[in-house]
């Protein structure tokens, strides 16, 4: 039930937050507007805060563990109670910003980059309007126009602090401290987000390279196994057999018996008498 309620009220509450920003900006940007315009903007601011307060109470009732819900949402409770303790427009701004930021973080369709960008623009806008509202009528103040206020908010959030514009009232300095702390926190989130993006990119590239290396090693092992299997299944080479065919006897011919008588000797040597056959 609680998740369904949060999902259904997400967009209407964001629209009310935009209406609150318009209602807060009109009396500051146009201080000479008709009185009924100022009254309408004030009523609209209270109505938006009441809507967020009702949203908090409904979520508290629908939560399965109410005390755990209160402990896990301290900023929401503080944002609901602040305007009731002291009905200042600045407190209504702070409480509404806290409630809007909490609901925006719960929206699954809002990425971190979108949330940080929206937070930067919202803080700069509301910081400029708030300091202009506080410092415009200050005797020694030097923030008199909306342009001066925007420039001061930008240099304060980025912690540059040129010093050409600075709040002189106590409430203006409180705003400056809050804006500086918020700017430092948001810059830290942006830096961490960029670093995480680079790290994830490098890890993804390393993962691809490791995967390719593993595939090459697996392919090499398979080739070795195939070679070993082919060598095991191949027959051993045999010695060549002798050539087969009929055996031919040496060419035959008449045997000539030696003539009887003395064997002629070479020239100039005495003849050798022939052997005498024995008598029978």
């Amino acid at each position: 039930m609680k998740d369904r309620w949060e999902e259904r009220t997400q967009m209407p509450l964001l629209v009310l937050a935009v209406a609150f920003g318009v209602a807060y900006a009109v009396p500051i940007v146009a201080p000479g507007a008709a009185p009924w315009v100022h009254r309408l903007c004030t009523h609209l601011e209270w109505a938006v805060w009441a809507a967020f307060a009702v949203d908090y109470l409904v979520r508290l009732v629908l939560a399965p563990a109410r005390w755990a819900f209160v402990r896990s949402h301290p900023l929401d409770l503080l944002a609901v109670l602040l305007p009731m303790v002291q009905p200042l427009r600045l407190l209504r701004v702070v409480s509404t910003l806290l409630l809007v930021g909490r609901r925006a973080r719960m929206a699954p369709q809002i990425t971190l980059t979108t949330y940080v960008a929206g937070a930067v623009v919202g803080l700069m806008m509301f910081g400029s309007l708030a300091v202009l509202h506080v410092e415009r009528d200050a005797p020694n103040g030097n923030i008199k126009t909306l342009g001066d206020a925007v420039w001061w908010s930008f240099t304060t959030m980025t912690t540059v602090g040129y010093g050409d514009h600075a709040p002189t009232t106590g409430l203006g300095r409180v705003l400056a401290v809050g804006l500086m702390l918020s700017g430092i926190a948001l810059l830290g989130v942006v830096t961490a987000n960029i670093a995480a993006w680079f790290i994830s990119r490098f890890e993804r590239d390393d993962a691809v390279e490791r995967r390719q290396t593993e595939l090459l090693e697996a392919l090499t092992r398979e080739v070795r196994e195939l070679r070993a299997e082919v060598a095991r299944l191949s027959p051993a080479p045999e010695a060549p057999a002798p050539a087969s065919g009929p055996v031919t006897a040496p060419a035959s011919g008449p045997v000539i018996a030696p003539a009887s008588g003395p064997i002629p000797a070479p020239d100039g040597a005495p003849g050798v008498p022939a052997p005498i056959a024995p008598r029978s």
Side-chain angles (χ1 to χ4, degrees), residues 261-273:
I263 300 173
D267 294 342
V272 178

Side-chain angles (χ1 to χ4, degrees), residues 60 63-70:
L60 176 62
R66 296 177 182 177
W67 179 240
F69 178 82
V70 173

Side-chain angles (χ1 to χ4, degrees), residues 197-210:
W197 182 82
F198 277 108
I199 292 174
S200 64
R201 183 64 180 270
F202 293 150
E203 290 180 349
R204 186 164 57 250
D205 294 341
D206 292 341
V208 172
E209 292 179 359
R210 287 195 299 269

Side-chain angles (χ1 to χ4, degrees), residues 33-280:
W36 68 269
V37 175
H38 290 263
R39 288 195 300 270
L40 178 62
C41 292
T42 302
H43 295 332
L44 184 57
E45 291 175 10
W46 278 108
V48 172
W49 169 83
F52 277 96
V54 170
D55 172 69
Y56 176 82
L57 293 176
V58 171
R59 288 189 290 135
L60 176 62
V61 172
L62 296 177
R66 296 177 182 177
W67 179 240
F69 178 82
V70 173
R71 287 184 302 175
S72 60
H73 298 77
L75 293 179
D76 292 6
L77 180 60
L78 182 65
V80 171
L81 295 179
L82 273 178
M84 298 178 63
V85 176
Q86 182 69 35
L88 289 176
R89 298 184 71 228
L90 183 58
L91 292 181
R92 290 201 299 275
V93 172
V94 174
S95 62
T96 305
L97 285 177
L98 290 175
L99 292 172
V100 170
R102 182 66 181 180
R103 293 307 301 269
R105 283 195 298 271
M106 292 187 298
Q109 67 272 18
I110 296 180
T111 61
L112 179 62
T113 304
T114 306
Y115 174 75
V116 170
V120 169
V121 174
L123 283 174
M124 185 177 297
M125 181 185 70
F126 283 103
S128 303
L129 294 173
V131 78
L132 179 62
H133 176 68
V134 172
E135 295 290 327
R136 175 184 286 163
D137 299 328
N140 299 323
N142 56 5
I143 302 177
K144 302 295 184 180
T145 63
L146 184 60
D148 295 339
V150 172
W151 173 250
W152 171 83
S153 297
F154 188 81
T155 57
T156 303
M157 287 189 65
T158 56
T159 66
V160 175
Y162 286 110
D164 51 351
H165 295 91
T168 57
T169 62
L171 190 56
R173 290 172 179 172
V174 171
L175 284 171
V177 172
L179 205 60
M180 283 186 285
L181 295 178
S182 301
I184 293 172
L186 289 174
L187 287 177
V189 171
V190 172
T191 304
N193 192 23
I194 295 174
W197 182 82
F198 277 108
I199 292 174
S200 64
R201 183 64 180 270
F202 293 150
E203 290 180 349
R204 186 164 57 250
D205 294 341
D206 292 341
V208 172
E209 292 179 359
R210 287 195 299 269
R211 179 61 177 169
Q212 292 177 351
T213 303
E214 293 175 357
L215 290 176
L216 289 176
E217 292 177 353
L219 183 60
T220 303
R221 287 194 300 268
E222 291 180 0
V223 171
R224 290 176 180 174
E225 293 174 358
L226 288 175
R227 286 181 177 177
E229 187 70 16
V230 170
R232 187 178 65 84
L233 296 177
S234 298
E238 299 179 356
S244 60
V247 179
T248 58
S252 60
V255 178
I256 301 174
S260 60
I263 300 173
D267 294 342
V272 178
I276 300 174
R279 293 182 179 181
S280 57

